[in-house]
Amino acid sequence: MEKICVAIRVRPSTSEDSVNGSFWKIEENRISLYKTHGSPLSSSFYAFDHIFDESSTNASVYNLLTEDIIQAALDGFNGTAFAYGQTSSGKTFTMNGSETDPGVIPRAVKDVFSKIERMSDREFLIRVSYMEIYNEEINDLLAVENQKLQIHENLERGVFVAGLREEIVNNAEQVLNLINAGEVNRHFGETNMNVRSSRSHTIFRMVIESKGKDSGSSDDSSIKDIVRVSVLNLVDLAGSERIAKTGADGVRLKEGKSINKSLMILGNVINKLSDGSKQSHIPYRDSKLTRILQPALGGNAKTSIICTVAPEEIHIEETKGTLHFASRAKHITNCAQVNEILTDAALLKRQQLEIEELRKKLQFELERGKLEMELEEERKSRDQWIRENQMKIESSSSIALSDCGTNDCEGCSRHRFSEECSGSNSTSQEDIFKSPGIKKAPSAFVVKRSKYKTLPDCSPPPHAINNVADEDMWLKMNNGYVADLDSLQATPARKFQSFPSDTTHGCKSEIEKYEQKVQDLRRQLELANAKINELERKNSDEAPLSKQLMGERAEHQQETRIIQVFPLRSSESVENFKESFEEVLSEMQRFASGGKLSTAKVLSTMSDIGAQLFAALEANFAADRDDERSSTGNYALIDEQKAFRERMHNIITSLELSDSSKTEWQERSSLCSCEHKNFVAINVTQQLKLSLAFVR
């Protein structure tokens, strides 16, 4: 929320005549009506944001009032600047200027494009239009054929003029040429007050669209889809006029009536808005001017108003009216917001950023709460530590006082008791019977005088004395104790306990208790140290055992792995010797079936073959069991197989040589003998096959 910026500009005076000697005086941001050689009029004092005197230029007006609005328009805010005042007060000169001193509109156009050139991170699209409101009719100054246009409103564009021509422009020169072409079509007229008087309100509008350039980063992928659309209105209002001064008639009179009517409605809108009443109706629709300027008056826009006045004395009433209008406009508040058109991706990205920001704030609040809790706990622990230390200091002080000797301890304790008894009125009834104190004359009988101002008329009756103190109490008082009679009289009847006869004994008992506690704590500390030493000793004793168990565990794991792969390796070893063994068996069957060998020879040969086979298998099994099957072990196994085949080949060769040296009578042996040999050879062969199958 921000206030409308209002400024006053005083044009140079055209006459030095002064009838009543009144004049306007400018002091900083205040303007007052003075009388010549007199004091200012109390009812004619006004203050504004800026006041420009007769020597001011259009450049100073633009820099202070409009330049910020131009920058805001490029950032996505709506902006409006318009000039208000009586006729011939310098409104058109302020807005349009001259060749030597350009006005607000040409300076704003040039400033827009110069700022765009410096904003390299965004892309811009500028559209301009130029219209006039003449006799409450809207005409297009850039297209003469577009006359009597209508005002519409929707959610997307807000308030707009339908059928108004918009030109897309790329530079300031193109815009200025369009403005000059529109000025040719504008209605001007001559009156008694102005040779070239504006007979219509003109509105020059720039629609500024922009979006961020694609930088190629993933974070800006959706931000570049956000399009900002802002509307900049630069308005030159026709001046209010009095028919008696302008001398208008005919067409000029009709034009003056329309101008004054629209300005009166503008004043009514300003009055309603300045009241601050939200429930009152704002008559925007009563005039086409106020309808078009509705966003700039109490709406979504940044607005500046330049009120021009004439300093001559003959225009004092018109100047007061302009100043009253400006004073009311100062109280209007606008709510300017950035106008953005969001795609779904851009809206999602913005919501994600807002959620992330809220998550960071929540995390910060949680961490701050956690830190506060930790600080509170730390404060409590610190206070507890301080209290414990204070208690320890107090206990240490009491122990130090108790060590000062029997007599000194007794005197100290009695002195403390006497000090405690001095405040006995503020203590409870049970605190009366504490350890008594002794005065300078310990053997004297001392009774504290009653605090009553006047003594009682008579002594208390005997039965009352019996209810107050017993015999034991009086004995203690005779030994030098101080008793408060007021307390005794206020004490209810009850059975009192006798006091210890010696305070030194109480001090010693306290010391003994303290020493006992210290000894108990020392014993507990010794027990704790003994347990710690025992645990350390057990740990040192069990450490080697733990290392031994870890080593045995590794060995067991290795043996388990060997056992798991042992059957497979054994099967491979049997398969490796199977071929050689089957070849030998076939040769043995051939010799046995031909009856060429004796039974003893067959048995010895088969025994030799079996021994060779089992020896080779045993060597392979041992290698598998010891997990020695490596690349070198594999070569050794191949050499063993070759050696086994050579031994089997030698056995067969020896059998063939022995077969050639056999005599003929062995060939003629009986059939029964041959059958018996075949039977024996077959049995031996079957046994060897069974053995091989068992091994496999």
Side-chain angles (χ1 to χ4, degrees), residues 21 47 87 279 570:
T87 185
Q279 297 180 355
S570 299

Side-chain angles (χ1 to χ4, degrees), residues 332-345:
I332 299 177
T333 302
N334 287 351
C335 181
Q337 298 177 352
V338 177
N339 303 300
E340 294 180 341
I341 300 176
L342 302 179
T343 61
D344 293 340

Side-chain angles (χ1 to χ4, degrees), residues 33 45 74 174-175 203 237 301 320 323 330 341 357 370 388 398 436 442-443 470 492 516 521 526 528 568 640 675:
L33 182 61
F45 175 81
L74 295 175
Q174 185 179 359
V175 178
I203 302 174
L237 299 178
K320 285 184 178 180
L323 295 177
K330 278 182 57 180
I341 300 176
E357 184 178 359
K370 185 178 179 181
E388 291 177 355
S398 62
S443 61
D470 55 6
Q516 184 66 28
L521 291 175
E526 290 175 357
L568 179 60
E640 183 66 26
E675 291 177 355

Side-chain angles (χ1 to χ4, degrees), residues 295-353:
L297 302 174
N300 178 21
K302 293 178 177 290
T303 305
S304 294
I305 300 178
I306 308 169
C307 295
T308 58
V309 295
E312 291 83 8
E313 186 180 8
I314 60 174
H315 302 309
I316 285 179
E317 294 301 324
E318 289 81 357
T319 300
K320 285 184 178 180
T322 302
L323 295 177
H324 282 301
F325 173 88
S327 298
R328 291 190 297 268
K330 278 182 57 180
H331 298 89
I332 299 177
T333 302
N334 287 351
C335 181
Q337 298 177 352
V338 177
N339 303 300
E340 294 180 341
I341 300 176
L342 302 179
T343 61
D344 293 340
L347 182 61
L348 180 61
K349 181 65 176 179
R350 172 165 293 184
Q351 291 176 349
Q352 289 176 350
L353 294 175

Side-chain angles (χ1 to χ4, degrees), residues 332-498:
I332 299 177
T333 302
N334 287 351
C335 181
Q337 298 177 352
V338 177
N339 303 300
E340 294 180 341
I341 300 176
L342 302 179
T343 61
D344 293 340
L347 182 61
L348 180 61
K349 181 65 176 179
R350 172 165 293 184
Q351 291 176 349
Q352 289 176 350
L353 294 175
E354 291 178 356
I355 291 172
E356 187 65 25
E357 184 178 359
L358 292 174
R359 186 181 289 110
K360 290 181 180 179
K361 290 182 179 179
L362 179 60
Q363 184 67 22
F364 175 75
E365 293 294 333
L366 292 175
E367 291 180 355
R368 186 176 67 177
K370 185 178 179 181
L371 290 175
E372 290 178 355
M373 292 178 63
E374 291 178 355
L375 289 175
E376 185 66 22
E377 293 177 357
E378 184 68 22
R379 191 180 296 109
K380 290 181 180 178
S381 62
R382 185 189 62 184
D383 295 341
Q384 181 67 20
W385 180 79
I386 292 173
R387 287 195 297 269
E388 291 177 355
N389 287 338
Q390 289 178 351
M391 293 175 63
K392 290 180 181 179
I393 293 171
E394 291 175 358
S395 62
S396 301
S397 300
S398 62
I399 293 170
L401 291 174
S402 64
D403 292 339
C404 65
T406 304
N407 295 330
D408 293 337
C409 179
E410 181 178 359
C412 292
S413 63
R414 291 177 180 176
H415 180 67
R416 287 197 303 271
F417 179 75
S418 63
E419 292 177 352
E420 293 174 356
C421 290
S422 63
S424 60
N425 287 336
S426 62
T427 60
S428 63
Q429 294 179 357
E430 295 179 0
D431 294 334
I432 297 170
F433 302 99
K434 291 183 178 180
S435 300
I438 298 176
K439 297 290 185 177
K440 293 182 179 180
S443 61
F445 174 79
V446 182
V447 178
K448 186 178 181 181
R449 183 178 295 278
S450 174
K451 293 184 179 180
Y452 293 118
K453 294 182 179 179
T454 58
L455 296 176
D457 296 335
C458 59
S459 300
H463 61 84
I465 295 177
N466 292 334
N467 292 332
V468 172
D470 55 6
E471 184 178 357
D472 195 15
M473 181 65 184
W474 293 112
L475 291 175
K476 300 298 181 293
M477 293 174 65
N478 290 332
N479 288 332
Y481 295 105
V482 177
D484 190 354
L485 295 181
D486 296 337
S487 301
L488 293 176
Q489 291 174 1
T491 304
R494 64 178 178 175
K495 185 177 180 180
F496 299 100
Q497 297 179 355
S498 60

Side-chain angles (χ1 to χ4, degrees), residues 22 61 86 162-163 179 203 227 490 556 586 620 651:
S22 299
V61 174
Q86 73 174 92
I179 292 174
I203 302 174
V227 179
H556 290 318
S586 62
N620 281 276
I651 292 172

